[in-house]
């Protein structure tokens, strides 16, 4: 019998230990998206019980290419907690399974955002600032292979993230036009524009508010929203250095260590 609490406990254990597991849908092929979001919530409740509070949300599958590859027509969301935020730009890969890094933007929200029909200006009015950000994703499933309910239950592969030092005024930049280039050990590996995120990152925050409103949830003041990847994610291992150039703004660097 499907026991969401039991699956959430297992998910949490594998996330904490950085330990691979087989897909939930191998045992429960009928697992629904709604049940998967419940598993996600129950597993994150366990973080909260360990005094690891929620600091924000992340959006995933925000590029058309990723949606097509997973045969879905809407993004997914995950929950970010304090322990996921790196304090220094160093990633210890020994604690992880098969980490990948992707460039993102993070919106910091200072006014509650709720509902299914927000306008871009509602989001801008509630955005205190925008940070450049890197997200580390590390699916708990073997070979990074999963179905939609699996990845939702695994908190949208959330693992770690880091924000740049500088905060930008939301109106300073056309965030959809920011060119982002990722160098791994000095070699260009990916590049893209902010428009890869649902045409404009602001739409990602609107979409998040819409999706969580189905559970009567809202984006609370003080929350961070990682809006989604600007380029494909890049696999990393100990000894690698990633530099991500956000043209006209700044460069973020991440060092991979054992
Ligand atoms: O942050 C992301 O876009 C990841 C969403 C989950 C899919 C994946 O792990 O590639
Ligand atoms: Mg991401």
């Amino acid at each position: 019998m499907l026991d969401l609490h039991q699956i959430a406990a297992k998910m949490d254990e594998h996330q904490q230990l950085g330990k691979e597991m087989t897909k939930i849908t191998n045992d429960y092929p009928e697992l629904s998206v709604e049940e998967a979001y419940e598993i996600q919530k129950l597993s994150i409740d366990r973080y909260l019980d360990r005094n690891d509070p929620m600091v924000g949300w992340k959006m995933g599958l925000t590029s058309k290419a990723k949606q097509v590859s997973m045969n879905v027509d809407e993004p997914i969301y995950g929950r970010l907690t304090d322990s996921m935020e790196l304090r220094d730009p160093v990633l210890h890969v020994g604690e992880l399974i098969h980490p990948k890094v992707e460039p993102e933007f993070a919106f910091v929200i200072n006014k509650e955002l709720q509902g299914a029909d927000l306008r871009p200006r509602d989001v801008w009015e509630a955005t205190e600032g925008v940070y450049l950000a890197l997200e580390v994703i590390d699916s708990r499933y073997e070979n990074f292979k999963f179905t939609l309910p699996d990845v939702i239950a695994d908190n949208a592969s959330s693992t770690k993230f880091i924000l740049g030092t500088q905060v930008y005024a939301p109106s300073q930049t056309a965030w959809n036009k920011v060119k982002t280039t990722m160098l791994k050990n000095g070699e260009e590996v990916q590049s893209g524009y902010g428009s890869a995120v649902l045409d404009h990152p602001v739409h990602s925050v609107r979409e998040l508010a819409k999706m969580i409103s189905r559970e009567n949830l809202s984006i609370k003041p003080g929350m961070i929203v990682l809006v989604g990847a600007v380029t494909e994610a890049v696999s990393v291992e100990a000894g690698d250095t990633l530099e991500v150039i956000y043209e006209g703004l700044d460069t973020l660097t991440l060092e991979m260590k054992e």
Side-chain angles (χ1 to χ4, degrees):
M1 208 194 73
L2 182 65
D3 179 340
L4 300 183
H5 284 270
Q6 190 184 38
I7 299 173
K10 179 170 177 190
M11 199 80 251
D12 175 40
E13 183 194 335
H14 284 259
Q15 289 168 355
Q16 296 314 308
L17 298 177
K19 203 171 87 185
E20 237 169 27
M21 60 186 266
T22 52
K23 290 187 311 224
I24 301 168
T25 53
N26 285 7
D27 292 329
Y28 304 104
E30 307 297 325
L31 186 74
S32 69
V33 162
E34 291 72 24
E35 287 164 339
Y37 275 119
E38 186 58 19
I39 294 170
Q40 179 190 121
K41 184 195 163 295
L42 292 171
S43 63
I44 296 300
D45 282 348
R46 299 172 70 90
Y47 288 60
L48 309 187
D49 290 345
R50 291 192 293 267
N51 294 320
D52 184 3
M54 219 176 127
V55 296
W57 301 86
K58 66 154 290 177
M59 290 289 275
L61 307 183
T62 44
S63 73
K64 265 285 151 240
K66 267 205 181 180
Q67 289 183 14
V68 168
S69 78
M70 291 217 55
N71 198 21
V72 294
D73 54 11
E74 80 172 6
I76 59 175
Y77 63 82
R79 291 161 159 89
L80 302 175
T81 71
D82 184 62
S83 66
M84 297 178 195
E85 184 166 3
L86 295 173
R87 270 45 179 181
D88 297 300
V90 174
L91 180 69
H92 289 280
V93 295
E95 300 163 1
L96 306 175
I97 306 164
H98 35 209
K100 299 183 186 184
V101 182
E102 50 191 29
E104 302 232 0
F105 302 111
F107 283 41
V108 177
I109 303 302
N110 63 11
K111 192 172 122 191
E112 186 175 27
L113 280 173
Q114 184 163 33
D117 64 348
L118 296 178
R119 301 160 297 193
R121 70 186 174 90
D122 297 318
V123 174
W124 293 127
E125 277 171 24
T127 303
E128 184 165 296
V130 177
Y131 287 85
L132 311 179
L134 300 179
E135 188 191 13
V136 180
I137 53 174
D138 190 30
S139 173
R140 267 49 68 163
Y141 303 117
E142 293 161 350
N143 304 317
F144 237 105
K145 293 263 183 288
F146 38 70
T147 68
L148 188 67
D150 287 308
V151 67
I152 290 169
D154 187 19
N155 199 24
S157 306
S158 304
T159 298
K160 298 284 179 193
F161 67 96
I162 185 162
L163 308 189
T165 319
Q166 179 64 48
V167 62
Y168 296 90
S171 60
Q172 147 164 347
T173 301
W175 297 98
N176 57 329
K177 297 199 175 130
V178 176
K179 184 175 184 200
T180 302
T181 305
M182 186 147 43
L183 309 182
K184 181 164 137 180
N185 305 323
E187 300 266 324
E188 181 174 329
V189 282
Q190 286 289 336
S191 74
Y193 288 86
S195 55
V197 183
L198 297 179
D199 292 331
H200 193 302
V202 74
H203 297 313
S204 184
V205 182
R206 295 171 67 207
E207 189 63 28
L208 172 66
K210 178 173 126 189
M211 293 178 81
I212 64 176
S213 72
R214 295 172 194 151
E215 316 293 327
N216 285 322
L217 296 172
S218 61
I219 309 172
K220 299 275 193 256
M223 291 280 129
I224 295 163
V225 180
L226 282 183
V227 294
V230 176
T231 72
E232 287 293 313
V234 168
S235 296
V236 289
E237 53 187 46
D240 286 341
T241 300
L242 276 189
E243 287 163 281
V244 182
I245 304 162
Y246 295 83
E247 210 168 276
L249 295 170
D250 203 357
T251 298
L252 301 190
T253 303
L254 189 64
E255 301 278 347
M256 267 47 73
K257 296 203 168 148
E258 200 43 55

